[in-house]
Amino acid sequence: MNASNSFPRRNIFGRVSIISGNTAQIAGLAAACAALALAQSTNSKPAAIVAMIAAWTLLYFFCHGIAHWAVGRIHGIRFAFYTVGGTDHPEGYPSGIRRVFEHLPFFGVRTEKASMQKASPMAKAIMWSAGVTSSAVVPTLGAFCALRASVPGSKPFLIFAVFWAIGTLASNWRSRTGDYSKARRALSEQ
């Protein structure tokens, strides 16, 4: 079996245009900001905790694909469409939730072939690295904002968020199909 066929196949549910995908992701990020604002302003401790967790979850799901797109566009890379589907490296998640993450709606992005052929190896590497890096950094910043706003339960939640971010980065770094692997392959083109 050759290397390209040995990677697990991502469970893709569908695909959407770049405009529709960006709109959905921006709406998800705006909903995360609204949830964080609710967590900061509500007088109900349970509601604040639920809103904080909802904000973190929305940030986690909606920052990845659009980070690829935004950073790629800055570097001249064009995109064909977004895919919506489960993670392409379920082995990176704890065993109890692996199957769940194979079926959750993550946004992936497909590049235009000609654009990628013209892009420098460094531009490709930066674009590929942007997605998983944002998946670690952006939700953690959301948890940090909750702590700064004294949201109930935010200190232990920030600790959880930091460990989740470290796990996200580490598992992606080790994955043969993850974004960092794609970035390393792009840099090896130099």
Side-chain angles (χ1 to χ4, degrees):
M1 174 165 28
N2 69 31
S4 64
N5 291 333
S6 64
F7 296 138
R9 301 276 307 157
R10 181 172 177 234
N11 184 17
I12 296 176
F13 316 132
R15 65 189 216 182
V16 296
S17 70
I18 295 298
I19 291 172
S20 296
N22 285 347
T23 301
Q25 290 172 93
I26 290 168
L29 294 171
C33 292
L36 193 54
L38 176 64
Q40 295 170 355
S41 64
T42 187
N43 291 327
S44 167
K45 183 177 178 178
I49 292 169
V50 168
M52 173 181 62
I53 293 169
W56 180 87
T57 303
L58 288 165
L59 290 171
Y60 185 74
F61 280 98
F62 289 107
C63 70
H64 185 104
I66 203 163
H68 283 305
W69 176 82
V71 171
R73 291 303 300 139
I74 288 168
H75 290 281
I77 297 171
R78 291 184 313 276
F79 298 87
F81 55 88
Y82 282 105
T83 58
V84 181
T87 181
D88 64 348
H89 58 283
E91 72 280 358
Y93 292 94
S95 61
I97 60 172
R98 226 171 251 166
R99 294 246 332 124
V100 173
F101 276 75
E102 288 178 305
H103 297 91
L104 290 175
F106 289 98
F107 278 87
V109 70
R110 292 289 169 96
T111 58
E112 289 183 357
K113 186 175 182 178
S115 177
M116 284 296 276
Q117 290 171 340
K118 292 178 187 174
S120 73
M122 184 60 73
K124 293 177 199 176
I126 292 169
M127 183 273 297
W128 286 125
S129 297
V132 71
T133 303
S134 72
S135 291
V137 172
V138 172
T140 306
L141 286 175
F144 179 74
C145 288
L147 176 69
R148 296 279 299 172
S150 301
V151 173
S154 58
K155 188 173 186 176
F157 190 73
L158 177 59
I159 293 167
F160 160 81
V162 167
F163 278 105
W164 187 273
I166 291 167
T168 296
L169 295 172
S171 69
N172 194 281
W173 186 261
R174 293 187 316 269
S175 171
R176 297 177 310 161
T177 59
D179 289 341
Y180 287 150
S181 179
K182 293 172 188 173
R184 288 190 301 272
R185 284 194 299 270
L187 289 175
S188 70
E189 296 173 7
Q190 292 190 44

